[in-house]
Amino acid sequence: MSINIKHKHAGHVIIIDGQAFKANDSGMWDLTDMWQTLKLPKAKQPGRWRGKEKERLSQSQNLDVRNLGNSGHQVIATKRATIEYAGWVSAEFKDMVYDAFEAILEMPEVALLVADKMRNIGHDHSAAILERHIFNDKSDWNSLGRRTPKKLTAQQQEQHRLFRAAQRNDRKSGAC
């Protein structure tokens, strides 16, 4: 009997310089494909990446280098290793890649799903922080801060409920 468990990043898509890149079922991105598609310098080919950080990532299964014979190497990497590779290419490229990953969490509906998943696996405090950020970013603070209550929309009421729940969780866990 075979069990097929997908990684939490499986199928995630990031956009770098207008190009879409999708993680495989193991939650890893193809650095060789990124290098080719984005036409990065030949000297920055993933198979040429050297250094202590690359070795550490390889040993911790964050990086997988496959020899494809005459056609070179295919290098696949986790989110962490992808960002580290991008830093090896250039500081500007690292910023682009980091921003591509962060853009996913900036979508409130995705961030709420992530927060819910975090809570389900026991990371209540981190989930509360993420929910608080969502609430802070989406709230109309002028209407919420008035002494004379202004009628709130259903969405604002839900945001306010999430915010209060996060505050209660923080107090229970002793966090500030």
Side-chain angles (χ1 to χ4, degrees):
M1 183 170 146
S2 174
I3 298 174
N4 185 10
I5 299 174
K6 287 188 175 182
H7 188 274
K8 65 181 179 180
H9 294 145
H12 283 198
V13 175
I14 57 172
I15 309 295
I16 304 170
D17 203 22
Q19 299 291 326
F21 300 95
K22 184 177 179 181
N24 65 18
D25 285 347
S26 300
M28 298 179 93
W29 284 265
D30 187 336
L31 299 183
T32 307
D33 181 43
M34 285 183 189
W35 171 77
Q36 289 172 333
T37 302
L38 298 171
K39 297 176 176 55
L40 298 173
K42 188 170 184 162
K44 297 299 182 172
Q45 186 175 358
R48 294 182 178 192
W49 183 18
R50 302 285 185 268
K52 289 179 183 177
E53 192 61 21
K54 186 238 180 199
E55 292 306 316
R56 186 184 70 78
L57 291 166
S58 293
Q59 292 172 359
S60 63
Q61 298 181 349
N62 281 287
L63 195 64
D64 185 11
V65 179
R66 299 173 182 176
N67 189 344
L68 300 177
N70 293 338
S71 56
H73 292 86
Q74 178 192 34
V75 180
I76 58 172
T78 62
K79 174 183 172 181
R80 173 173 295 184
T82 300
I83 292 171
E84 290 298 330
Y85 165 73
W88 177 74
V89 171
S90 73
E92 295 81 18
F93 187 57
K94 184 175 184 176
D95 290 344
M96 287 173 58
V97 171
Y98 180 84
D99 290 345
F101 281 111
E102 286 299 302
I104 298 207
L105 283 179
E106 289 179 14
M107 294 183 283
E109 59 280 1
V110 173
L112 285 173
L113 289 172
V114 170
D116 186 49
K117 182 71 172 173
M118 291 168 77
R119 186 165 277 111
N120 288 339
I121 61 174
H123 297 284
D124 293 337
H125 181 68
S126 296
I129 291 170
L130 183 55
E131 288 168 342
R132 189 169 45 248
H133 284 288
I134 297 163
F135 177 78
N136 288 342
D137 291 345
K138 290 187 74 176
S139 292
D140 177 6
W141 284 102
N142 290 331
S143 66
L144 291 175
R146 294 181 192 272
R147 291 185 192 268
T148 55
K150 180 179 178 182
K151 185 167 177 137
L152 300 177
T153 66
Q155 184 179 13
Q156 289 171 324
Q157 289 172 357
E158 178 62 12
Q159 290 171 348
H160 190 68
R161 186 193 66 73
L162 288 172
F163 179 70
R164 291 294 179 215
Q167 283 183 323
R168 283 192 299 277
N169 268 348
D170 284 351
R171 281 194 293 273
K172 284 180 187 175
S173 68
C176 295

